[in-house]
Amino acid sequence: MARAGLTTERVTLAGAELADEVGFDRLTMSAVARRLGVKDASLYAHVRGLEELRGRIALLAADEKTVRIAEATAGLAGRDALVAYATAYREYAREHPGRYTATQIPTEIDPELLATARGPRRAIELTYGMLRAYALGEPDLTDAVRLLRSTLHGFVSLEAAGGFAHSRPAEESWSRCLDALHTLLEHWPAEHGSRGEGTTT
């Protein structure tokens, strides 16, 4: 029997909050149950197990991050959009480290859930849309998307791990990295720049 007041959404949110506090890799069903003040068995009326819960957290996080980026970049283009996109991305990763991790590691997600999830599709649309302002065609556009994701993920991951111990403030390096990205996107190397039809990331 499902416990009164307990829903799949509430279990997912509790799991997401706990992941932010202790780390996505340390999330357990027992810990979520304790957080909600219920027995472990009560959770299984709402999620089939830890793997499903992890997948639901990943989709929740993808939706939250995408909404934040969409709001930040609305009406902007070029460098302004790039900076707004990157700033929203970084802020989300800082504020929700567990949820952010959920969006970056392979997680088995129920195909039915994934098929109706808006966040992952919208994230792709936003990223490609923002970078199209740099007049890139395929396959360069897909390469640029991968470069952007790699740069942002690398920076925020190293920052979170305390990897920037140099005396130069990380904030100044962040700003210069975005300047460099903008310059590169505006002057994308042509020698590998066939403008044929491409694929997704």
Side-chain angles (χ1 to χ4, degrees):
M1 293 288 291
R3 182 184 174 94
L6 205 59
T7 63
T8 301
E9 291 72 23
R10 189 179 170 204
V11 171
T12 301
L13 183 57
E17 291 171 348
L18 189 60
D20 286 339
E21 294 171 13
V22 305
F24 188 65
D25 60 332
R26 299 181 65 186
L27 186 69
T28 66
M29 294 292 280
S30 293
V32 175
R34 287 194 298 271
R35 187 182 190 88
L36 290 168
V38 301
K39 295 184 181 299
D40 294 14
S42 299
L43 300 184
Y44 291 92
H46 305 282
V47 294
R48 288 190 295 271
L50 182 59
E51 195 62 30
E52 180 183 328
L53 178 59
R54 286 164 62 94
R56 287 182 178 276
I57 292 171
L59 293 179
L60 170 68
D63 189 57
E64 290 177 338
K65 183 159 64 76
T66 299
V67 168
R68 181 174 295 198
I69 290 173
E71 291 175 348
T73 58
L76 302 179
R79 186 184 184 282
D80 290 342
L82 175 65
V83 171
Y85 181 109
T87 300
Y89 183 107
R90 184 185 182 202
E91 288 176 350
Y92 187 84
R94 282 172 153 182
E95 294 170 19
H96 300 291
R99 292 181 226 201
Y100 173 74
T101 298
T103 68
Q104 300 299 315
I105 64 175
T107 302
E108 193 171 319
I109 300 176
D110 186 325
E112 291 185 8
L113 283 178
L114 190 58
T116 59
R118 177 68 173 149
R121 295 194 306 275
R122 183 64 174 142
I124 294 171
E125 293 167 2
L126 279 171
T127 307
Y128 274 83
M130 185 268 291
L131 290 176
R132 283 193 184 95
Y134 287 97
L136 295 174
E138 291 290 8
D140 293 337
L141 183 58
T142 290
D143 292 340
V145 169
R146 290 172 173 168
L147 172 65
L148 177 66
R149 290 181 59 195
S150 299
T151 301
L152 299 187
H153 176 62
F155 195 102
V156 301
S157 297
L158 286 169
E159 184 177 40
F164 297 140
H166 193 278
S167 58
R168 178 170 171 78
E171 203 63 41
E172 294 180 12
S173 295
W174 171 257
S175 179
R176 293 298 288 155
C177 285
L178 297 185
D179 286 341
L181 266 177
H182 172 66
T183 299
L184 174 57
L185 290 166
E186 281 200 317
H187 303 88
W188 193 260
E191 57 266 29
H192 301 297
S194 169
R195 293 296 198 264
E197 290 298 318
T199 184
T200 58
T201 49

